[in-house]
Amino acid sequence: MPTRRYVALDRFGPPDVMRWTTGPAPQRGEGEVLVAVEAIGLNFADTMVRRGEYRRDQSLDFTPGFEVAGHVLESGDGGPAPGTPVLVFCENGGGYADTISAPADHVFTLIEGMAPRDAAALFTQGVTAWYAVHRYGQVGEGDWVLVHAAAGGLGGMSVQLAALAGARVVATASTPAKLEIARRYGATETVLADPETLTAGVRAATGGHGADVVIDGVGGDLFMPSMRALAFGGRYLVVGSASQAPAMLDVRALMPRGQTVTGVLVARVAEQDPSEPQRAFDEIQRLVLSGELRPDVRTMPAAEIAAAHELIESRSLTGKVVLELEPA
């Protein structure tokens, strides 16, 4: 029986609960594509899976991993041919493995010249940022866009895409060093992510106008100060919750200022139109290949998966971590 290597959890807890092990290889089901994994994109949600905090009903059979890149081994009628380089959006996890089988509408082809190790850094955060800036944020020339965690993978992508759209970006981060990184991404102004001073800082940075669009992947204590800094007719986009803390909103405040609050999740867009993520992903790939979009990617061997999780949870990481698997 064919086998594969994958990450199993002994228990929920710190990074060392993960271990690479061997088990039966997956069989391609109806409407699925069998993929050999070459690179795994790591996300904050992976650490939540490992801690048992991602789903209420989560079991130890749930392998982390939401985003992998590699090449097709087997495909059904109309699917990508064997050997085709692809990115797989593993909506239900399971990506920490050297072989996976996934629904065909969650498998996205790579543009010529895009390496799997680079593609693994682009889908979850890149497509989310694309939707935040273009689909929901409707960012245009001269808009003021407030981006939280602007030195991180999603935040950095959002800063760059907003700047490419002609916006003026106010970036926040937890340290001056991270704010400097946000400036290199294209931020016009920077403000420390301090809930006590955030509203005043954004107002001052925008000349009193406020932010036309907020792209918030942090939430928690930053939510209300950011809402107070939102301009008339502003669009507030919730793209993540790195703080893992709730935020309260008196929705009556939205009416007189014509503001909106929208949650952004790639999986929900894909449910409405399975072909849409490929279009957004293609745009991201083209911008990367042209040099207009410069993702900050740190690669590590798959064997160092525990160290990679520690890096993510240390909050010292900028950009994105990608694990590379050795060829079989």
Side-chain angles (χ1 to χ4, degrees), residues 9-295:
L9 301 176
D10 294 316
R11 62 190 188 283
F12 297 126
D16 62 8
V17 303
M18 297 182 295
R19 58 183 174 84
W20 285 95
T21 189
T22 302
Q27 301 298 304
R28 185 180 69 83
E30 183 70 25
E32 292 188 336
V33 177
L34 192 66
V35 174
V37 176
E38 299 173 42
I40 301 169
L42 268 57
N43 296 283
F44 182 77
D46 298 353
T47 69
M48 295 174 63
V49 170
R50 192 203 73 231
R51 295 191 300 271
E53 299 170 356
Y54 189 71
R55 293 181 172 178
R56 293 188 183 91
D57 60 348
Q58 187 176 315
S59 71
L60 287 173
D61 294 331
F62 193 105
T63 296
F66 295 97
E67 162 182 52
V68 305
H71 62 272
V72 174
L73 293 173
E74 297 177 13
S75 179
D77 293 341
T84 301
V86 293
L87 182 291
V88 183
F89 175 42
C90 308
E91 182 180 351
N92 295 314
Y96 285 10
D98 64 9
T99 310
I100 64 169
S101 188
D105 60 5
H106 283 52
V107 178
F108 306 97
T109 55
L110 305 189
I111 291 177
E112 184 176 357
M114 178 61 63
R117 53 160 282 180
D118 297 324
L122 297 179
F123 187 84
T124 302
Q125 295 172 343
V127 173
T128 298
W130 180 267
Y131 288 154
V133 170
H134 294 290
R135 184 183 180 98
Y136 298 108
Q138 297 293 302
V139 172
E141 188 80 31
D143 281 347
W144 281 105
V145 180
L146 173 62
V147 178
H148 289 315
L154 175 55
M157 289 277 196
S158 299
V159 171
Q160 293 182 68
L161 289 174
L164 286 171
R168 297 166 291 181
V169 178
V170 180
T172 79
S174 58
T175 67
K178 289 183 178 181
L179 291 179
E180 180 56 35
I181 291 171
R183 282 191 175 276
R184 293 203 296 268
Y185 288 152
T188 308
E189 304 285 343
T190 56
V191 178
L192 281 172
D194 180 354
E196 298 298 321
T197 60
L198 181 66
T199 302
V202 174
R203 289 286 180 185
T206 60
H209 176 78
D212 298 294
V213 176
V214 176
I215 300 177
D216 182 4
V218 179
D221 291 343
L222 292 182
F223 179 76
M224 277 313 301
S226 303
M227 280 299 305
R228 289 192 289 269
L230 191 62
F232 182 87
R235 286 88 69 196
Y236 198 112
L237 307 174
V238 180
V239 298
S241 182
S243 69
Q244 286 299 289
M248 302 298 292
L249 171 66
D250 183 345
V251 295
R252 294 174 296 181
L254 301 175
M255 294 186 291
R257 296 179 60 78
Q259 298 166 329
T260 59
V261 179
T262 304
V264 179
L265 197 63
V266 173
R268 299 293 83 80
V269 176
E271 284 178 357
Q272 297 169 4
D273 182 357
S275 66
E276 170 52 42
Q278 181 74 67
R279 290 192 287 268
F281 186 44
D282 284 349
E283 290 298 324
I284 293 294
Q285 292 185 79
R286 290 189 190 100
L287 289 172
V288 170
L289 291 174
S290 71
E292 296 173 87
L293 186 64
R294 299 181 301 278

